[in-house]
């Protein structure tokens, strides 16, 4: 049976990283790391900014911040634990130092050791990096403008054969001809 600890969205990933670092840098075994964690001897400092962590959690918990979803037509629904079914997560980094300042793994009160949506390695980042990794370089190089017509459809058979799969939009529908300006909004 597990109990909930303060700031577990941030603490558990930090401990995972310490565990991996101890094994990689000092060649400790899992058993040796477990002993260090259980018996002390470690003083772990994190990069978490408590004020930003609390603020980000409060912003995500507030249903009114999801204005694109009509709250009247789609009221907040909760699961059997009283956790909102509409979920979101956030990671905030200081781009100058690379330090992670905030990890919020979900909305609302959740049981101990709940899925950390900001940290889970099994979750796709979807289109979150599209503005930085796709559109910004193309705009900077002058390859496209915000109004360039781009076909949003399936991959060609040649490209699909290389990757073995087709890419899909979140709704599994093609948007046809769209502009980068529209693509970022999708």
């Amino acid at each position: 049976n597990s109990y909930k600890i303060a700031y577990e969205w941030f603490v558990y990933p930090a401990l995972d990283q310490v565990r991996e670092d101890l094994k990689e840098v000092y060649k400790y075994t899992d058993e040796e790391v477990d002993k260090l964690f259980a018996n002390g001897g470690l003083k772990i400092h994190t990069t978490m900014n408590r004020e930003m962590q609390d603020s980000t959690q409060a912003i995500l918990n507030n249903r009114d911040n999801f204005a694109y979803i009509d709250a009247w037509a789609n009221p907040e629904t909760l699961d059997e634990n009283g956790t909102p079914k509409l979920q979101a997560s956030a990671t905030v980094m200081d781009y100058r130092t690379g330090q992670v300042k905030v990890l919020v793994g979900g909305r609302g009160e959740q049981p101990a050791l709940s899925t950390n949506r900001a940290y889970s390695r099994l979750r796709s980042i979807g289109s979150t990096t599209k503005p930085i990794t796709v559109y910004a370089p193309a705009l900077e190089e002058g390859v496209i403008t915000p109004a360039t017509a781009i076909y949003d459809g399936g991959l060609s058979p040649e490209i699909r054969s290389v990757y073995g799969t087709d890419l899909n939009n979140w709704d599994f529908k093609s948007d046809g001809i769209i502009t980068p300006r529209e693509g970022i909004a999708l």
Side-chain angles (χ1 to χ4, degrees):
N1 199 7
S2 32
Y3 63 94
K4 193 166 175 88
I5 65 167
Y7 300 106
E8 74 174 37
W9 295 132
F10 200 100
V11 170
Y12 286 129
L15 292 176
D16 286 349
Q17 187 62 57
V18 169
R19 174 179 290 281
E20 291 307 310
D21 289 349
L22 287 170
K23 288 165 51 178
E24 182 179 326
V25 175
Y26 298 105
K27 308 301 182 212
Y28 287 161
T29 64
D30 283 323
E31 295 76 26
E32 290 170 322
V33 173
D34 288 343
K35 281 183 184 178
L36 278 173
F37 277 23
N39 300 327
L42 295 178
K43 187 170 186 178
I44 300 170
H45 297 268
T46 73
T47 57
M48 183 181 87
N49 179 309
R50 187 177 294 201
E51 184 179 325
M52 288 173 62
Q53 180 81 19
D54 291 341
S55 175
T56 304
Q57 183 73 63
I59 289 166
L60 288 180
N61 286 352
N62 184 347
R63 181 68 154 70
D64 294 338
N65 290 321
F66 297 91
Y68 63 91
I69 300 173
D70 182 3
W72 183 79
N74 296 294
E76 185 85 273
T77 56
L78 307 175
D79 68 11
E80 64 279 356
N81 296 314
T83 303
K85 288 186 177 181
L86 174 64
Q87 281 298 315
S89 63
T91 302
V92 178
M93 288 180 60
D94 181 334
Y95 70 89
R96 293 174 299 255
T97 64
Q99 292 180 341
V100 175
K101 298 295 185 180
V102 172
L103 277 177
V104 175
R107 294 182 63 235
E109 283 301 314
Q110 302 201 16
L113 301 173
S114 295
T115 299
N116 186 335
R117 294 160 192 85
Y119 177 70
S120 172
R121 292 185 178 110
L122 302 176
R123 298 198 174 269
S124 166
I125 60 170
S127 295
T128 58
T129 62
K130 187 167 43 175
I132 297 170
T133 60
V134 178
Y135 293 119
L139 289 164
E140 186 174 313
E141 293 297 318
V143 175
I144 63 171
T145 72
T148 299
I150 299 173
Y151 176 65
D152 173 46
L155 297 174
S156 69
E158 298 83 31
I159 294 174
R160 191 172 33 244
S161 71
V162 171
Y163 293 101
T165 186
D166 202 0
L167 302 176
N168 293 303
N169 288 329
W170 65 274
D171 59 0
F172 298 98
K173 297 178 184 171
S174 169
D175 292 312
I177 303 295
I178 63 169
T179 66
R181 187 178 288 122
E182 294 166 321
I184 289 171
L186 296 173

